[in-house]
Structures are given as structure tokens and as C-alpha cells.
Amino acid sequence: MKNDITKQNDEGAAPVRRDQGLTSNQGTTIADDFNTLKSGVRGPSLLEDFLFREKIFHFDHERIPERVVHARGAGAHGVFRLMDPIPQFSKAGFLSQVGAETEVFVRFSTVVGSRGSTDLARDVRGFAIKFYTSEGIFDLVGNNIPVFFIQDAINFPDLVHAVKPEERNEIPQAASAHNTFWDFASLMPETAHMVMWLMSDRAIPRSYRMMQGFGVNTYKLLNAQGESFFVKFHLKPKLGVHSVVWDEAQKISGRNPDFHRQDLWEAIENGDYPEWDLGVQILTNEQEQSLDFDILDATKVIPEELIPIQYIGTLQLNRNPDNFFAETEQVAFHPGHLVPGIDFSDDPLLQGRLFSYLDTQLSRLGSPNFHELPINKPKNPTHNFRRDGAMRQDIPKDTGNYNPHSIAGGCPYLSNVMSGGSGFESVPAAAEGRKIRKRSETFGDHFSQASTFYNSQSEIGKKHIQDAFSFELGKVTREEVRFRYLGILSVVDKELATIVADRLGLPVPDGLSEETIQTASQIFENYPALDKIKLGFTYPSLSVEYHCDFDTIKTRKIAAILTEGFDLQELKQMQARIKEEGATLDIIADKYGDIIAATGETVKVDYTLVTMDSVLYDALYVVGGNASQEKLASIKKAVCYVDDALKHNKAIAIGGNSNALVQASDLRLVESDKAIVSIRTADDIEVFIQRIAQHRNWQRELANNLL
Ligand code: HDD
């Protein structure tokens, strides 16, 4: 099957069916859906046209409010398979039996942009999983970054107002690169760690299938013996973690704003089911005490070098939704959808989330009965005394609607009456204290982990962070905001601050600004606690490279560009090997139809140079054949394919012996480069495949200035 949905839909005519008649919503069959009822063919429309009225009425109310954050998303159905049960930590049924399978629905999202915005914004990605367990629904509402901007949920509306488009003119769409976000970040030093992740390549993933997932907040597990543990949830993609580069992200946003959505859809349609290992990082109460940061603070990560991750099963996505609105848009996640054996910690961000998610579904979906929508309905039967409300669908029969009651046999019973106490129980932790609006001093170090994150990156990882800060702060028009943020950077890492300050034409501040200290002092007594900061630590697990998979080109997309006079023999060899490796090779030429090879045979074109683009592919293959390459060298767009692939550090294969495209493109500027492969023999094809598997040749970017 071809790896492209528009093509699939176009292939072959749909068979004619005569078994479904058009009806109104009331089931009345409709004979004419093209003309309104009128008084004479040229006369006015009649008010009695109930069929027209119903059609327009429904259309007028088709839209519902988009999510206040995470509006742009894509979802898929799948299954979670448990390999390593953990009954010693949790009594949750779906975590207790080897081989247990639990249906899931996953929705990926960007945070800031509206529903129609680009997939490739620099942004955090949502990674929300609905587990339909036999004991009820468990929602793991996580992100692809393990920390968060703020520590207390009360600041969430401020954060979101600041990062969303500015209120005067709703500009810019789906971007943090503007005054209000950086103003907020510069005044709230607790954002420092998360901002560092946001400026890293994590915020521009190559694919939803190639990003990690994190529950972010600390949760608790409760076992059958009543013992509790702290837990962090992790998801690790089988295809490794990969990103695009910023210039590429910006171009993809124009060429195909649905890039991630389409990538997910096509992979599932092609049977390349995306998979992640689900892991738990479990801490006893004693281990919690041994860490030098607070695990209730969502701006902190627990490096896996300190507490290892135990991988317990696999999440697989294997079915696309039948209808985007009914499923992906109407799915309603809530961190408070829990099952027995899992509970919350006292993380003040998580505690606030518990209020927000239920609340928001009411304004989005319009009814407390949103749980009855097919995508939100638990797979196990539900029985309770909740009644009525807009759009109620269940029809309760022969039951009481109050508790306790003695009619209908008294059902439903509480679980502890039914089965000796197997229902949901909160972890019986002691909670006593004076009512107080104050931040714990243990949340006060905002810089150690930000510095650790930066220093744990490879050379290219650091360069990309420097570039991202320079871009984002460069878009800030208020100089005082730029300078104030440089103050935060100067505490995180002097070298980073110096590089960015230089590009902004500003001096490096000597520590935090007065305004920053003033704001933080409203939250913390004795701020800044700079003496607590520990600089210079590194953890390999915080770098992208640690999570990369360099063994496979499975599901990667390669562009083969050619025109008349190409080398068919070489193309066939390449095609066969790419296919064997589970990747896709698209043939792209200057026009559609059959293109004639040097030998006179023809090949069918998948796309033209203008309907696709270099940035939509993982690698480029310029098919051999002198006449073909000479003509391509004279086509500006073909040269752009080469220049962009080169600039974005992709593997490039050049077939045959012609030097024409090398001379016409920036290839002539690059001296030795292991990911530019001349295809002369079958072995060269193998080298090309290995280079694609490497994802990018970052050395090229470090050695040349191609941007
Ligand atoms: Fe949130 C949606 C993830 C903090 C309030 N959030 C939402 C979604 C994800 C997250 C993935 C989209 C779910 C979907 O696909 O429908 N949010 C997070 C993470 C957070 C976090 C990982 C930090 C640990 N969120 C957070 C806070 C609040 C909210 C502190 C408010 C106090 N989030 C919401 C919301 C949303 C939402 C307003 C919008 C749409 C929705 O809930 O259903 O309630």
C-alpha cells in the first residue's frame, strides 16, 4: 500500500451502493437535497421547509469550543499489553496479570495553537492516554517533556494567557516567541527548567511516534496490603526519540501543517503500528527523603540514573479513529479518572489539575453526561445514582435514584459491601496542617536542574538551545524583557547567557534582575536561595541521543528525484532495498505521468517537485543518469531539494557519475561529509541506509554554516 492517504483515497472508484437512502435526523426519507422549497421556481423560499431548516440548524451548531489549551491534536486507538506485572506496588487489575490487554485511546497535541494551527510549532506536546480497564477508566494525561512551567496550579491561567497569542491582536499563532510569554518567564524563575526543555529539540519532534511521554506529576500506587509508593510514569518510543531542525520545522509548517497528524495516520494505515514501552519509576517514602529536590515540585525531573525506570509493558496504537470529531475532539481526559491502586500525590499542580479538567469538559462538551459519549464511556458497566442532565442517553430501569434505598434490591451496592473492600481507596496518608498560602522552601531551587539539563546536552544539543533562545528572545520587541530573561540565563549557565546576549546585542546581566527577585519574593521568603544551587551536574538520560535508536530506517520516508534519462536499474536496486528495510521511497519528478528512463522504459511518478518538498522527507536520493541530473540542475526547485536536505543534515545519495547537481547546489560548498553518499555499487546503497538510520549528520551543521 502506498504511504500516502490522499493517494489511497484516490485509488480506484468506490463501488456503487443502493442500500442507504438519505434521511433527515428524524428518519424521514429525502427525495431532493439540492433545492429549497419555493413558491414557484423563481419565487421566495417557504418558511415551512423543515428539511432545509433542520439541515441549516444542525450546520449552524456544528462547532463546539476548542480546548482552552491543547486544542490541536490527533488521536488513535490501541492496546496496552502488560509484560511485567507489579502487584507488589499496585492492586490495579490492569497492572497485575502477565499478558493482560487493556484497550486505550491516545490523543497527542500541541499546547498553544488553535485547532487549525500547525503541528510543527515549537511547543510542548500533549500525550494523553485513556486506559479502558475492567475496573474503570484511568487517564494518564501527560506531556512529551517530564517537567512543567509552574509549581502551583493557581498560576496556570497566567501562564496560558502569557503564552497564547497577545490579547490585542491575537498574534502570533502557535508560538511562544513574543513579548508576553517571555515577560512572564522572566518574572517567574520557576519556569527556567521547563523553558530549557522547550528551547531544546524536544519541542520540535520528527513524529508523535518518536517522542517520549511522561506523566510529569508524581502519583502514588497502593497495593493490596495497604502499602503505598510514589510513582512517575514514563513512555519510551520503540523508534527512538528524533526531532527536526528549526528551519525545517518552520518550512514544514507551510508545506504541510498536518505533518504529524498525517504521519500518525499513515503509519497506522500501513500497519506500522507505533509502540512505546511503559515504565514506572517507583520510590519508597525513604527514597523520596534521600533526594535533594522535592518530588512534589513538577518543575523537577527524577533522572533515571538516580531512580531506575522499570518497563512493565507496551503501548501500541493500531487503529485510526472512524471520525475525528466523535472521537479525537470529543474525548475528555481528566487526571482524576483513576482506578483502585493508583492515587495522587500532594503535588500542588496536580491537585489543581483535578479541579480544572472536569470543569472544562462542561464548557467544551456542554453536559455533565459527557461520560456517555462512546469515546468516553468506560468498557465496564457503570451503576450509580447520578441522574438526568442535558442529553442524557442511559435509560435507568428498575433502580433507585437515591442512596440508601430498599427498592430494586438496594442495588447498586458499595464495592466493600459487595466484595470485601476492593473499591477505590485513597492512600491513607496523614494530612494535617495550618491553612496557609505559601510555597514550600523545598521548591525554592529553580536553577540546578535547568543547568544540569543544559550541561547534559551534546554539542549540537547545546547549539540548538542557543539558537532557539536567540530566535525567541530576538522576536521579543521589549528590550527590558530580553535583558531580564538574560538575567535568568546568567544564573543557569554563564556561557549560554554570553552567547545569547551577544546575538541580542546586549550585555550579560550580573544575575537576576530586581523585578524577578521581587516577584519571586512574593512567592518565597528568602529569595533567591542562590547558595543552594548546584551547578555542573550532568545526566546522559537527559539528552536526546540517549533515547535514539540508530538501527532502523523503518517507516522513514525517502524522496527520489528524477526526470527523463534517469538510471532505471539503479533506481530499482535502491527501491528494493528501501522496501526491504520497511521504509518508503517516493518518486518525484518535474511532472506527473510516466517518465522515460535512459533505457527507454518508464516509471510512474508519485509526486511532482512542487507538490512535495524536501522538508517532508527523512533523506534524499538523486537518481543517477546524466541527462536526468543535468536537467534537474537547471530546475530551481530541484536544487532546493538538495540544498534543504543538506541544510537539515539529512543523508543524501547521488547516483551515477554526473556532477551537475553538485555544482548547481550548496553541495559544492561541503568538503567531506559521511552522509553524502555517491551511489556506484550495491554497497553504497547499504551505506546510504545506515546514514538514514543515523537520522542526521549533526557534524555537518557544526562544521559548516549553511543556514
Ligand atoms: Fe493540562 C488539557 C497535560 C497542567 C488544565 N493538559 C491537557 C491535555 C494534556 C495536558 C495532554 C490535553 C488532553 C487532551 O488531549 O484532551 N496539563 C498537562 C500536563 C500538565 C498540565 C502534563 C502538568 C503536569 N493543565 C495543567 C494545569 C491545569 C491544566 C496546572 C490547570 C490548573 N489541561 C487543563 C485543562 C485542559 C488541559 C484546561 C484543556 C482541555 C482539557 O483540559 O480537557 O483543563
Side-chain angles (χ1 to χ4, degrees):
M1 195 191 295
K2 210 68 201 100
N3 191 4
D4 180 81
I5 193 58
T6 48
K7 291 199 70 176
Q8 283 165 31
N9 286 347
D10 292 347
E11 263 163 17
V16 176
R17 291 174 56 181
R18 301 248 185 255
D19 57 343
Q20 278 182 0
L22 183 68
T23 72
S24 72
N25 282 346
Q26 304 302 320
T28 308
T29 48
I30 295 177
D32 183 338
D33 190 40
F34 299 104
N35 296 293
T36 46
L37 191 66
K38 290 185 282 290
S39 169
V41 286
R42 300 185 63 240
S45 300
L46 297 178
L47 197 60
E48 70 170 63
D49 189 352
F50 68 98
L51 292 174
F52 166 72
R53 164 106 168 89
E54 184 199 83
K55 185 174 179 181
I56 288 294
F57 156 79
H58 202 276
F59 169 76
D60 286 345
H61 300 283
E62 270 177 14
R63 294 287 166 269
I64 60 170
E66 65 174 34
R67 287 167 174 81
V68 58
V69 280
H70 296 266
R72 166 90 189 162
H77 296 269
V79 63
F80 169 64
R81 295 190 180 89
L82 185 71
M83 313 294 181
D84 264 315
I86 48 166
Q88 68 279 31
F89 299 122
S90 172
K91 63 177 178 175
F94 82 111
L95 300 178
S96 298
Q97 277 169 19
V98 183
E101 296 201 349
T102 306
E103 279 182 57
V104 299
F105 185 80
V106 172
R107 184 174 179 274
F108 302 106
S109 48
T110 51
V111 178
V112 178
S114 295
R115 255 190 73 176
S117 58
T118 170
D119 282 345
L120 263 290
R122 175 176 292 284
D123 199 354
V124 186
R125 298 301 184 285
F127 194 143
I129 312 170
K130 193 174 277 297
F131 295 84
Y132 302 89
T133 87
S134 60
E135 295 170 314
I137 285 190
F138 168 52
D139 283 347
L140 185 60
V141 197
N143 281 341
N144 76 329
I145 290 179
V147 288
F148 202 65
F149 294 98
I150 48 170
Q151 299 173 321
D152 190 311
I154 200 166
N155 299 121
F156 190 70
D158 305 288
L159 163 73
V160 175
H161 288 173
V163 73
K164 282 270 183 180
E166 303 213 355
E167 65 173 334
R168 279 175 308 160
N169 52 15
E170 197 152 282
I171 297 175
Q173 180 55 244
S176 53
H178 57 109
N179 286 338
T180 53
F181 174 70
W182 288 98
D183 184 36
F184 178 80
S186 70
L187 291 167
M188 291 284 280
E190 67 195 65
T191 59
H193 186 197
M194 175 73 165
V195 166
M196 209 56 70
W197 284 78
L198 187 66
M199 293 302 109
S200 79
D201 291 349
R202 302 287 187 140
I204 38 173
R206 156 64 180 85
S207 157
Y208 289 138
R209 303 176 291 124
M210 298 171 200
M211 44 179 223
Q212 277 176 286
F214 304 93
V216 183
N217 298 115
T218 302
Y219 287 79
K220 282 183 176 178
L221 297 179
L222 183 67
N223 70 14
Q225 293 72 46
E227 295 162 323
S228 71
F229 305 85
F230 291 105
V231 64
K232 291 261 191 195
F233 292 100
H234 294 254
L235 289 133
K236 192 178 167 94
K238 297 256 200 213
L239 291 172
V241 178
H242 298 284
S243 299
V244 297
V245 297
W246 181 229
D247 179 72
E248 190 185 3
Q250 292 174 290
K251 287 177 176 161
I252 295 174
S253 291
R255 298 284 181 214
N256 184 3
D258 303 310
F259 187 71
H260 285 153
R261 182 182 280 189
Q262 192 171 345
D263 169 274
L264 179 69
W265 178 277
E266 288 177 2
I268 294 173
E269 288 299 298
N270 291 342
D272 292 323
Y273 301 140
E275 289 188 333
W276 289 260
D277 289 325
L278 177 81
V280 285
Q281 217 175 3
I282 291 174
L283 287 86
T284 59
N285 293 331
E286 294 73 48
Q287 279 172 312
E288 188 235 335
Q289 297 298 324
S290 73
L291 298 171
D292 57 8
F293 52 87
D294 198 326
I295 62 163
L296 302 185
D297 170 2
T299 69
K300 304 295 185 295
V301 65
I302 310 179
E304 55 187 275
E305 286 86 347
L306 296 183
I307 306 283
I309 301 171
Q310 199 176 324
Y311 288 97
I312 59 172
T314 304
L315 176 81
Q316 182 191 66
L317 298 181
N318 53 25
R319 182 162 66 85
N320 277 316
D322 292 313
N323 183 279
F324 184 90
F325 180 84
E327 300 174 90
T328 310
E329 192 58 18
Q330 293 201 118
V331 66
F333 292 95
H334 175 26
H337 291 160
L338 282 193
V339 292
I342 306 180
D343 200 4
F344 323 108
S345 71
D346 295 336
D347 172 344
L349 196 76
L350 179 56
Q351 296 278 321
R353 293 179 75 194
L354 296 179
F355 184 82
S356 186
Y357 288 71
L358 204 52
D359 207 33
T360 205
Q361 308 313 343
L362 202 57
S363 67
R364 208 167 66 78
L365 299 168
S367 157
N369 289 318
F370 69 84
H371 63 280
E372 292 183 337
L373 295 168
I375 193 69
N376 294 325
K377 212 173 161 58
K379 302 285 178 200
N380 56 323
T382 55
H383 313 280
N384 58 43
F385 306 100
R386 330 251 200 268
R387 289 290 183 275
D388 308 345
M391 296 294 157
R392 180 73 183 188
Q393 291 175 50
D394 280 357
I395 304 179
K397 290 181 198 153
D398 297 331
T399 55
N401 61 355
Y402 53 90
N403 196 17
H405 74 95
S406 65
I407 54 173
C411 274
Y413 285 111
L414 296 181
S415 65
N416 55 1
V417 179
M418 292 270 300
S419 53
S422 68
F424 183 85
E425 283 174 297
S426 297
V427 169
E432 256 182 61
R434 274 187 317 121
K435 284 185 194 170
I436 185 167
R437 280 189 195 276
K438 207 178 145 194
R439 198 75 57 91
S440 167
E441 291 297 325
T442 53
F443 284 32
D445 171 7
H446 300 139
F447 302 107
S448 299
Q449 288 213 352
S451 139
T452 299
F453 177 75
Y454 180 68
N455 284 301
S456 300
Q457 304 310 306
S458 62
E459 191 182 354
I460 193 74
K462 283 185 179 172
K463 176 179 182 291
H464 287 171
I465 291 174
Q466 295 154 10
D467 292 347
F469 271 116
S470 309
F471 176 91
E472 296 262 325
L473 290 171
K475 291 276 184 182
V476 168
T477 57
R478 287 174 174 264
E479 194 168 293
E480 79 277 11
V481 172
R482 291 178 179 180
F483 187 66
R484 203 185 300 137
Y485 201 82
L486 286 172
I488 291 191
L489 283 190
S490 73
V491 183
V492 175
D493 190 273
K494 262 270 157 18
E495 178 212 54
L496 171 63
T498 310
I499 294 169
V500 179
D502 180 54
R503 294 187 195 166
L504 295 175
L506 291 171
V508 187
D510 188 20
L512 297 179
S513 73
E514 275 307 310
E515 295 93 332
T516 311
I517 295 176
Q518 228 174 42
T519 334
S521 306
Q522 295 169 39
I523 304 173
F524 292 92
E525 280 173 31
N526 312 320
Y527 198 85
L530 291 178
D531 53 321
K532 295 207 183 89
I533 299 171
K534 297 186 192 79
L535 301 177
F537 282 87
T538 58
Y539 292 110
S541 67
L542 300 178
S543 71
V544 170
E545 289 80 358
Y546 186 85
H547 304 278
C548 281
D549 188 329
F550 290 129
D551 296 336
T552 177
I553 67 164
K554 206 166 160 17
T555 78
R556 294 302 187 128
K557 292 182 76 176
I558 295 110
I561 57 170
L562 54 77
T563 184
E564 275 98 16
F566 68 94
D567 181 343
L568 182 64
Q569 191 55 31
E570 185 197 275
L571 174 67
K572 278 185 173 167
Q573 269 186 317
M574 181 70 86
Q575 256 175 335
R577 282 296 296 122
I578 297 282
K579 195 171 170 204
E580 274 167 19
E581 293 292 322
T584 310
L585 188 87
D586 283 345
I587 296 176
I588 301 175
D590 48 342
K591 58 178 185 181
Y592 275 122
D594 295 321
I595 304 285
I596 304 168
T599 48
E601 292 143 291
T602 62
V603 75
K604 214 171 188 49
V605 168
D606 293 317
Y607 300 102
T608 61
L609 289 165
V610 291
T611 54
M612 275 292 172
D613 200 277
S614 193
V615 294
L616 306 176
Y617 290 91
D618 293 293
L620 178 67
Y621 164 41
V622 182
V623 183
N626 287 359
S628 169
Q629 291 196 2
E630 274 157 31
K631 184 167 176 205
L632 287 178
S634 70
I635 303 173
K636 187 97 186 134
K637 180 74 189 177
V639 177
C640 281
Y641 269 67
V642 180
D643 286 346
D644 270 350
L646 187 73
K647 199 187 301 183
H648 303 142
N649 308 307
K650 293 174 185 172
I652 302 174
I654 312 275
N657 300 312
S658 166
N659 210 24
L661 253 180
V662 175
Q663 285 311 318
S665 69
D666 288 346
L667 278 175
R668 70 186 185 285
L669 307 174
V670 177
E671 281 180 3
S672 92
D673 188 305
K674 64 179 181 138
I676 300 172
V677 186
S678 295
I679 304 295
R680 302 270 152 68
T681 67
D683 287 348
D684 297 328
I685 294 181
E686 299 311 310
V687 175
F688 179 50
I689 288 171
Q690 282 166 22
R691 299 300 182 242
I692 303 171
Q694 297 283 310
H695 183 61
R696 300 298 164 101
N697 178 17
W698 299 121
Q699 216 38 50
R700 184 186 303 159
E701 185 176 324
L702 293 170
N704 301 279
N705 191 3
L706 293 165
L707 282 178

